[in-house]
Amino acid sequence: MKKNLRFNNKQQLFARLCFLVALIAVVFQNCKKDTHVIQQLSVTNPQIAAAKSWYEKTYPVKSLGQSLRTSSTGQTDLSQVIKPDWQHATVYERFNQQVLELPLDPSVKFSSALKNMTEGKLVSNRDYSRSWYIMLNDGTTYTAYVMTIIADSSYVNNNPDKLSRNTYNQRDADFSGQVLYFTPQGRYVSGWQYKNGRIITPQAKQQETVAQNTGSKKTASYNGENEYCTDWYWVTYLNGEAIDYEYLYTSCSSGGYGGGGGPQCPTSPNTNSGGRQAVNNMPPPPPPDDGGGFPPPTGGSGCTVTTPPIVDTAKFCDGVSPEQQQAIKNDLNTLKDADCLSKVLFETSASSIASYCVNSSLSVQAGYNPVTKSVIIKDPSTLSTANLQEEFFHAYQDKVMPGGTAQYLGAPGSANIEFEAKVIRDISTYMGLFDGTGSGGALSVKDADYEPWLADITNNYTQYPTSFTASQQNKYFDLMSKFVSENPGYSTNLINNTLNPTALFSLINISPCTH
Amino acid sequence: MYPLKIDMKKKFIILMILITYSTISFAQRLKPNEVIKAKTISFRSNQDRYGNLIVFDSKNDYFSKKSKTASANISTVKRKEKAMLTSFLQVFSNERLSQLVPERYLSMVCFVDTSGKVLAITFYLKKNTLVTAQELEELQQSIKTNVSFRLNPEETKGGDFFPIAQIVVYDQVLKRTLK
């Protein structure tokens, strides 16, 4: 009997072959899961043609001369800067959706980086970023996203080719960095942070911290005891020039980029230091993925909390009429959507301004009170954007200068505070003239040396200054004394010869504004 | 010998014409620290510490005059649309503008009264500029005629004159895109 149960050599070989085939089938099935057949299709393929038609209708290319900025946000409309390369589309299925993956059209060089706005530092190398389009079709509608990975230098390890190993449905086993999803117009949707191929999840202790601070305002500074908050932005570059920045999220305490804890998800609305309506948009850990790719852009995160825009929540002093309030809100909206520097000022200073007051007996059009943190306006109906921009800059000075600016009221240093604001205003005036968007402005100093000095510190009006040479700094103080003598209300004893224009440099350093 | 004498005479005359032309041309060229006579007015030229030229009508003393109010308080200035473009096109031909494009731009400070009328102009020019004194005179006149500014009366109250920053990019004039 025993002998009968034995297999001969042929039978053994056949059994082994069957086992191998079964094993391959199981492995293949496991790998397959949601990811179906990947095909590269040409633009004449009906699937690609339909997606292309939908995309071009939804995100039409504006004609020459039309602004590249969206009217509602004042930010760069990314769909006017980059476009999909329809010749190299890849189609597959994932999470029960048809996925079209398209590289960026190579006619422009697009890159991006992460910026710590609180400290004004780029924390990633823009050469270690890669963006492409994904279009998801659930059978009835399309949704398009710009998918970006920003890899840690430790992962790239001087081999940027590694970036191409990551796609929507494929992730390198040791990927470290961030995966971010944006609308085609460049607005942030969601994102996740990875370390050695694993999503970093908020730790329980950090969540507790957030919960305890429910409703509190996140600021780019120490926020209460032992809590430090940082605003993170996505900076985009076109052919090496920064073109825009997009608020991503705010990390507090031990969270944040490289902080070990990863981004946190708040339990209630919070505003970033700029008072933007966006909150901590980093969603909680996504549902388990299919083992290979990245999480989908949406689905079950529930983390995005929308708060009213800062303009709508602006506070007013008693006695400011509804008409005046509306006029001030209109002015704030204008400032928010004005030139690059105004936009940065709005983002960074709006939430620091406690209230807006009206005082018709004011000798100037507007002022900023560093004690009450209020902006005082003479007549909201005649207030100019330039006036408001200047007061926002004073609020910014108050925020970033050690000890605030109240200490300089009527004391040496007050002339420095004022002159610094005028210098940045005059630079903006010239820059606006240079690119044809402005019509000029009154110079704060009428000395013949003033224009050559402005031209010098801006490299002939091509870039904002981020520091001064010793000779430029000497001239700065020289011109400040002329400013004081030309403008009633100041005297030379209000000049502090050691107080440099640090707020001006700080603002320019945190901004993506180049001209 | 006779034909040779004629030749010599001709050569001498041509040479004199060339010298005279060259002298006139160079007299028009702007140099630092000089009083340069144009058609009807004289310009004074200074040099900034970068070697560039600051040129102004010798009667323009607004830099040294003390104004009654703080110009730093003027926040908005509106320029009459296309007026600056018109002024430049009245003085510079397309050919001439093409020659000036490498200098990129002409910067100036217009001194205006409370009504926005241009009283005087100080020009800031690149060293070795190709712009001549005669062109500057014509340009100054043209700007005074065509360009005016709108200032906020609230901000100019009690004042007399204000320095207004202006830049004109030659390429924008050439392409007619200057607003």
Side-chain angles (χ1 to χ4, degrees):
Chain A
M1 285 297 284
K2 272 185 181 175
K3 197 178 181 181
N4 285 346
L5 284 173
R6 278 190 180 163
F7 296 109
N8 61 29
N9 280 350
K10 270 188 181 175
Q11 282 171 324
Q12 274 185 357
L13 189 67
F14 180 72
R16 279 177 186 165
L17 208 64
C18 285
F19 176 74
L20 198 65
V21 168
L23 191 70
I24 290 169
V26 167
V27 170
F28 179 76
Q29 188 60 30
N30 276 347
C31 287
K32 194 179 157 194
K33 273 192 179 169
D34 284 329
T35 309
H36 292 167
V37 184
I38 298 173
Q39 304 174 63
Q40 254 210 332
L41 301 172
S42 79
V43 74
T44 52
N45 178 282
Q47 286 175 314
I48 308 295
K52 186 171 185 277
S53 166
W54 170 82
Y55 183 85
E56 288 174 351
K57 205 173 157 188
T58 312
Y59 304 103
V61 176
K62 291 173 186 168
S63 59
L64 278 176
Q66 274 185 273
S67 171
L68 293 183
R69 290 174 181 277
T70 54
S71 55
S72 58
T73 64
Q75 290 186 273
T76 298
D77 181 350
L78 208 55
S79 69
Q80 303 302 308
V81 176
I82 56 172
K83 57 185 178 181
D85 178 0
W86 296 100
Q87 300 294 336
H88 296 94
T90 306
V91 181
Y92 55 87
E93 273 194 26
R94 192 170 182 234
F95 299 127
N96 298 320
Q97 287 181 311
Q98 185 195 59
V99 181
L100 268 83
E101 206 166 301
L102 302 129
L104 304 189
D105 189 295
S107 57
V108 292
K109 193 176 180 298
F110 179 80
S111 57
S112 60
L114 274 183
K115 189 164 187 172
N116 172 340
M117 273 298 199
T118 311
E119 294 172 6
K121 284 182 187 164
L122 281 177
V123 296
S124 70
N125 184 336
R126 66 173 188 247
D127 292 332
Y128 296 169
S129 73
R130 184 175 159 251
S131 296
W132 64 95
Y133 285 89
I134 57 165
M135 281 179 215
L136 308 178
N137 183 1
D138 62 5
T140 53
T141 52
Y142 284 100
T143 321
Y145 299 94
V146 171
M147 183 173 177
T148 295
I149 53 168
I150 297 176
D152 290 354
S153 52
S154 60
Y155 162 74
V156 176
N157 198 18
N158 293 323
N159 180 16
D161 290 345
K162 286 180 81 177
L163 295 175
S164 60
R165 295 181 195 168
N166 298 283
T167 61
Y168 180 51
N169 67 336
Q170 181 186 312
R171 189 182 71 245
D172 215 0
D174 61 340
F175 175 73
S176 290
Q178 303 223 0
V179 57
L180 304 165
Y181 293 101
F182 301 89
T183 67
Q185 291 174 317
R187 304 289 74 78
Y188 179 58
V189 176
S190 61
W192 287 270
Q193 188 175 340
Y194 282 79
K195 194 82 187 166
N196 295 322
R198 290 178 183 278
I199 286 182
I200 295 175
T201 55
Q203 293 160 11
K205 197 177 173 187
Q206 289 165 343
Q207 282 177 324
E208 271 171 33
T209 309
V210 172
Q212 283 162 8
N213 284 290
T214 295
S216 68
K217 188 165 69 176
K218 303 290 180 218
T219 58
S221 59
Y222 285 97
N223 184 19
E225 280 181 27
N226 304 320
E227 191 179 26
Y228 186 78
C229 293
T230 305
D231 294 340
W232 299 95
Y233 281 72
W234 184 55
V235 189
T236 45
Y237 300 86
L238 187 68
N239 300 324
E241 292 282 321
I243 53 167
D244 202 16
Y245 65 105
E246 170 77 2
Y247 169 66
L248 298 174
Y249 58 92
T250 298
S251 61
C252 292
S253 297
S254 53
Y257 193 89
Q264 301 165 9
C265 182
T267 52
S268 69
N270 290 286
T271 47
N272 70 327
S273 61
R276 289 278 299 271
Q277 61 176 335
V279 294
N280 188 335
N281 277 325
M282 281 293 196
D289 61 28
D290 55 10
F294 289 99
T298 56
S301 75
C303 189
T304 301
V305 186
T306 304
T307 54
I310 191 75
V311 172
D312 294 344
T313 56
K315 289 190 172 58
F316 298 95
C317 295
D318 291 343
V320 180
S321 72
E323 291 77 22
Q324 289 174 325
Q325 289 186 19
Q326 192 52 52
I328 294 169
K329 283 180 181 177
N330 292 345
D331 291 328
L332 289 172
N333 275 320
T334 307
L335 180 73
K336 182 167 71 72
D337 294 336
D339 61 290
C340 180
L341 214 57
S342 297
K343 200 168 78 173
V344 176
L345 267 178
F346 185 85
E347 302 288 352
T348 50
S349 306
S351 64
S352 318
I353 294 168
S355 57
Y356 297 87
C357 311
V358 173
N359 181 352
S360 58
S361 61
L362 211 62
S363 62
V364 290
Q365 292 301 298
Y368 171 76
N369 185 332
V371 178
T372 59
K373 315 286 181 204
S374 301
V375 168
I376 305 116
I377 298 159
K378 186 177 184 179
D379 179 0
S381 66
T382 60
L383 185 71
S384 70
T385 308
N387 282 138
L388 205 53
Q389 188 198 53
E390 190 174 332
E391 302 322 320
F392 267 66
F393 183 71
H394 285 315
Y396 183 76
Q397 290 172 311
D398 189 23
K399 186 170 150 179
V400 299
M401 290 175 72
T405 52
Q407 60 186 307
Y408 301 114
L409 284 172
S414 62
N416 302 57
I417 300 293
E418 206 57 42
F419 184 58
E420 184 182 26
K422 300 299 183 191
V423 167
I424 202 158
R425 184 196 77 174
D426 291 347
I427 291 172
S428 284
T429 296
Y430 271 109
M431 295 286 204
L433 282 162
F434 207 88
D435 63 21
T437 57
S439 61
L443 288 172
S444 313
V445 183
K446 109 180 132 53
D447 190 274
D449 285 349
Y450 190 48
E451 192 280 344
W453 178 77
L454 288 176
D456 182 38
I457 62 169
T458 57
N459 194 14
N460 285 321
Y461 309 110
T462 55
Q463 61 197 60
Y464 285 102
T466 50
S467 62
F468 284 162
T469 61
S471 131
Q472 288 169 342
Q473 183 165 314
N474 284 342
K475 196 71 196 170
Y476 173 76
F477 284 103
D478 176 37
L479 289 165
M480 193 188 298
S481 63
K482 284 171 178 159
F483 163 77
V484 162
S485 66
E486 285 175 17
N487 289 277
Y490 295 98
S491 65
T492 46
N493 58 11
L494 295 177
I495 293 176
N496 177 338
N497 284 314
T498 59
L499 197 59
N500 286 311
T502 51
L504 185 152
F505 298 141
S506 153
L507 180 71
I508 290 163
N509 275 319
I510 64 158
S511 83
C513 310
T514 51
H515 59 273
Chain B
M1 289 297 283
Y2 186 63
L4 187 67
K5 265 187 179 174
I6 297 275
D7 270 355
M8 286 288 283
K9 203 173 177 183
K10 267 185 184 172
K11 278 180 184 169
F12 180 74
I13 291 166
I14 290 166
L15 190 67
M16 287 313 290
I17 290 169
L18 280 173
I19 289 170
T20 314
Y21 177 78
S22 159
T23 310
I24 292 167
S25 297
F26 275 93
Q28 289 289 319
R29 291 292 289 272
L30 298 163
K31 280 178 261 175
N33 308 315
E34 279 189 354
V35 175
I36 309 138
K37 184 94 177 76
K39 256 190 204 165
T40 57
I41 58 172
S42 296
F43 284 104
R44 190 180 290 275
S45 68
N46 289 335
Q47 197 170 20
D48 70 18
R49 59 203 181 113
Y50 313 102
N52 296 318
L53 295 167
I54 305 170
V55 184
F56 50 97
D57 186 335
S58 54
K59 288 176 188 162
N60 170 3
D61 58 351
Y62 286 98
F63 273 132
S64 51
K65 255 189 196 171
K66 196 158 175 82
S67 51
K68 286 180 186 167
T69 56
S71 59
N73 291 339
I74 309 276
S75 68
T76 33
V77 171
K78 294 231 160 60
R79 188 173 71 202
K80 204 173 140 193
E81 187 92 351
K82 299 278 180 194
M84 194 62 90
L85 177 66
T86 307
S87 302
F88 270 72
L89 290 176
Q90 282 177 358
V91 178
F92 300 108
S93 66
N94 282 353
E95 239 178 10
R96 185 67 174 141
L97 286 167
S98 301
Q99 290 172 348
L100 295 174
V101 163
E103 292 183 27
R104 292 186 67 218
Y105 65 90
L106 173 66
S107 178
M108 57 190 124
V109 172
C110 296
F111 292 94
V112 304
D113 65 13
T114 50
S115 72
K117 186 180 172 230
V118 179
L119 305 168
I121 305 169
T122 297
F123 298 97
Y124 293 85
L125 299 136
K126 299 272 182 297
K127 56 182 166 190
N128 305 323
T129 179
L130 295 178
V131 177
T132 64
Q134 191 174 322
E135 285 169 332
L136 273 193
E137 180 177 345
E138 287 172 28
L139 188 61
Q140 179 168 272
Q141 193 48 51
S142 187
I143 290 172
K144 280 183 175 180
T145 310
N146 298 305
V147 179
S148 62
F149 296 91
R150 198 147 46 88
L151 311 176
N152 183 349
E154 277 291 319
E155 295 174 337
T156 56
K157 222 177 257 179
D160 45 3
F161 70 92
F162 310 93
I164 305 292
Q166 290 291 286
I167 274 184
V168 173
V169 180
Y170 292 119
D171 195 45
Q172 290 174 6
V173 181
L174 187 62
K175 290 177 178 158
R176 313 294 196 260
T177 54
L178 182 72
K179 286 177 186 164

